[in-house]
Amino acid sequence: MTDVRCSWCGAAIEPDDGYRAAEQAGERLAAFCRLEHVVPWAIQGPHWGAGTLTPQPREEPALRACAHCGEPLDDTRVLLVRHRGEYRIADAFCTTDHLRAWATAGGRWQ
Ligand SMILES: [Zn+2]
Ligand SMILES: [Zn+2]
């Protein structure tokens, strides 16, 4: 049923697993089987596909500041949503570069 593949290694990703990255303003999407694969992807390009997150993550104050540098964000932000079973855990970043830096450091559970 699922046709989601990792934007870096091409591995199939289950709907309730992995990570989805989105540049909402540009309607661009990427997916990752694991957080570590964000890093080489961001360094190499990054290569986005067209699309939007479905559903969109719930708007919350934490998504208004970069999870890496704390700068306030506008709608050019980059979102990263972790799919973990029924949970969707979103973080936001000012740039793909800060998403990369955050993922390099181990993300939320560093
Ligand atoms: Zn991968
Ligand atoms: Zn930042």
Side-chain angles (χ1 to χ4, degrees):
M1 287 297 285
T2 172
D3 196 25
V4 177
R5 293 194 169 268
C6 179
S7 297
W8 177 247
C9 72
I13 304 174
E14 296 297 320
D16 286 346
D17 198 14
Y19 293 79
R20 311 292 184 276
E23 208 185 57
Q24 287 179 303
E27 300 199 342
R28 300 199 291 176
L29 271 187
F32 305 96
C33 60
R34 33 194 279 198
L35 185 63
E36 289 81 358
H37 285 180
V38 171
V39 179
W41 171 84
I43 291 170
Q44 288 273 314
H47 295 292
W48 296 92
T52 54
L53 292 171
T54 47
Q56 294 286 336
R58 227 165 21 134
E59 198 55 56
E60 45 186 308
L63 300 184
R64 289 275 150 206
C66 176
H68 183 66
C69 70
E71 285 293 310
L73 300 175
D74 56 24
D75 55 359
T76 63
R77 68 189 172 179
V78 176
L79 291 176
L80 183 74
V81 182
R82 182 179 187 186
H83 289 204
R84 191 186 190 195
E86 64 188 279
Y87 297 102
R88 299 291 178 269
I89 305 150
D91 286 288
F93 303 89
C94 57
T95 56
T96 308
D97 196 50
H98 275 182
L99 166 60
R100 178 194 56 74
W102 183 84
T104 302
R108 219 178 236 252
W109 291 273
Q110 56 192 272

